[in-house]
Amino acid sequence: MKIDAHQHFWKYDPARHAWIDKSMYKIRRNFLPEDLWPEMKANGISGCVAVQSDETENETRFLLDLANRFDWIKKVVGWVDLKSADIESKLERYQTDTRLAGFRAILQSLEPEAMEDSAFLNGIGRLERFGFTYDVLIFPRHLEKAYELCRKFPNQPFVLDHLAKPGIKAGEFANWSKWIAKMAELPNVCCKVSGMVTEANWSNWKSEDFKPYLDFVTEHFGTDRLLYGSDWPVCLVAGTYSEVFDLADSYFQNFSESEKQAIFGKNAMRFYGIQF
């Protein structure tokens, strides 16, 4: 089974989706399961993980409703206020929905020190008990604090979204690679091979642009901790669903069959608890 471990659905609302600026006009519309399924099918992908893009519990319920209607939406990464005083009861309630794998917050929009907030840390510390994962959405400037966060909770499964968004367009590498190597030392941290084209030159990227970054994460995380994801529909500002898939597929084409099966499915299934 091939799994797209990172994609989004939304009913476009200019206020709620204000982060979609004029340069991203291509994605200023609804994106729903009927839009994604033909793309997945054309690329031999049979399941996906729907990830939050809006920080509300209504978003989580919206995604869970879709997952309960479409069997190929295997898991949901939702949002919950981890700083809430009643986080324990919230997590206990969410645990009853087997489609919910874990949670994410838009940490990239905050200062790195937000990951030191005591209420946030209390919430992260409760996830393990309920079997929830946590997606880490950050920029390279957040990596040091993210490393400290993941190290504090050695039994909590974390996955780094989009390689931590290195500045591929500008060729930024040194600080990113230093902290990616540190993150990879933590056995509870995985990394998503996703979101790369939007960090490159949207109109003029080529596969060679991504090779140093893919080489580095593959060397340090190994093929047993990498998860392929499309980041659809956000990726559409820079490339089609098939172009994004082909980028990863081509890079890993000479790897063993077992390694490819891991990166394009089994690792996501293990991390998110997806059943055959």
Side-chain angles (χ1 to χ4, degrees):
M1 181 182 289
K2 285 185 180 177
I3 300 291
D4 179 344
H6 197 105
Q7 53 77 214
H8 309 282
F9 297 115
W10 62 66
K11 291 183 178 178
Y12 178 68
D13 176 88
R16 194 168 68 251
H17 298 105
W19 59 272
I20 306 177
D21 61 27
K22 289 181 180 179
S23 69
M24 305 172 81
Y25 68 92
K26 291 180 181 178
I27 60 172
R28 282 183 159 179
R29 63 176 182 86
N30 296 349
F31 288 95
L32 295 167
E34 52 266 33
D35 302 302
L36 178 60
W37 177 242
E39 301 285 358
M40 288 174 51
K41 193 174 180 181
N43 289 279
I45 297 171
S46 50
C48 67
V49 178
V51 180
Q52 64 82 224
S53 57
D54 183 26
E55 292 187 306
T56 66
E57 291 196 44
N58 283 340
E59 165 91 342
T60 305
R61 287 189 287 269
F62 164 68
L63 294 177
L64 286 171
D65 177 62
L66 293 179
N68 287 316
R69 288 166 48 203
F70 298 90
D71 187 60
W72 49 268
I73 304 174
K74 298 299 183 182
K75 290 288 180 174
V76 165
V77 175
W79 181 89
V80 68
D81 183 4
L82 289 171
K83 297 163 69 172
S84 172
D86 63 341
I87 185 61
E88 187 94 10
S89 61
K90 286 178 181 288
L91 295 178
E92 190 170 6
R93 189 164 62 248
Y94 275 126
Q95 193 183 33
T96 62
D97 198 317
T98 58
R99 291 278 179 168
L100 185 64
F103 299 97
R104 186 180 83 154
I106 314 295
L107 293 175
Q108 67 177 26
S109 66
L110 306 176
E111 289 303 310
E113 290 72 24
M115 283 178 273
E116 299 176 324
D117 180 89
S118 59
F120 175 75
L121 292 174
N122 175 66
I124 291 287
R126 305 297 177 100
L127 297 177
E128 181 195 345
R129 176 188 162 192
F130 294 96
F132 288 124
T133 61
Y134 192 77
D135 272 55
V136 183
L137 177 65
I138 56 172
F139 288 118
R141 70 187 185 94
H142 297 85
L143 272 167
E144 181 176 358
K145 295 300 182 186
Y147 169 74
E148 293 172 4
L149 171 68
C150 297
R151 189 175 60 172
K152 284 174 186 169
F153 301 98
N155 298 316
Q156 171 60 42
F158 291 98
V159 63
L160 194 57
D161 288 351
H162 313 327
L163 287 71
K165 294 193 165 186
I168 297 171
K169 183 178 180 179
E172 296 169 0
F173 193 83
N175 182 65
W176 171 83
S177 60
K178 171 188 172 181
W179 286 103
I180 284 291
K182 295 287 289 181
M183 289 288 278
E185 292 173 2
L186 303 175
N188 59 322
V189 180
C190 294
C191 181
K192 288 186 181 178
V193 177
S194 61
M196 295 185 296
V197 294
T198 48
E199 302 309 315
N201 184 318
W202 292 0
S203 60
N204 197 31
W205 59 263
K206 52 190 182 300
S207 59
E208 292 79 14
D209 297 337
F210 309 103
K211 189 176 186 301
Y213 304 93
L214 287 169
D215 286 347
F216 199 84
V217 295
T218 304
E219 177 187 352
H220 287 81
F221 280 96
T223 56
D224 59 340
R225 286 193 290 150
L226 295 180
L227 289 63
Y228 168 74
S230 67
D231 197 28
W232 179 95
V234 182
C235 69
L236 298 179
V237 302
T240 67
Y241 190 94
S242 292
E243 286 173 333
V244 169
F245 176 76
D246 288 345
L247 179 64
D249 191 47
S250 296
Y251 177 83
F252 292 109
Q253 65 180 338
N254 293 324
F255 284 60
S256 70
E257 283 304 311
S258 61
E259 287 174 319
K260 288 187 284 189
Q261 287 173 12
I263 295 164
F264 289 95
K266 288 185 177 179
N267 294 344
M269 295 174 74
R270 182 178 68 249
F271 184 83
Y272 287 121
I274 297 169
Q275 304 297 316
F276 279 103

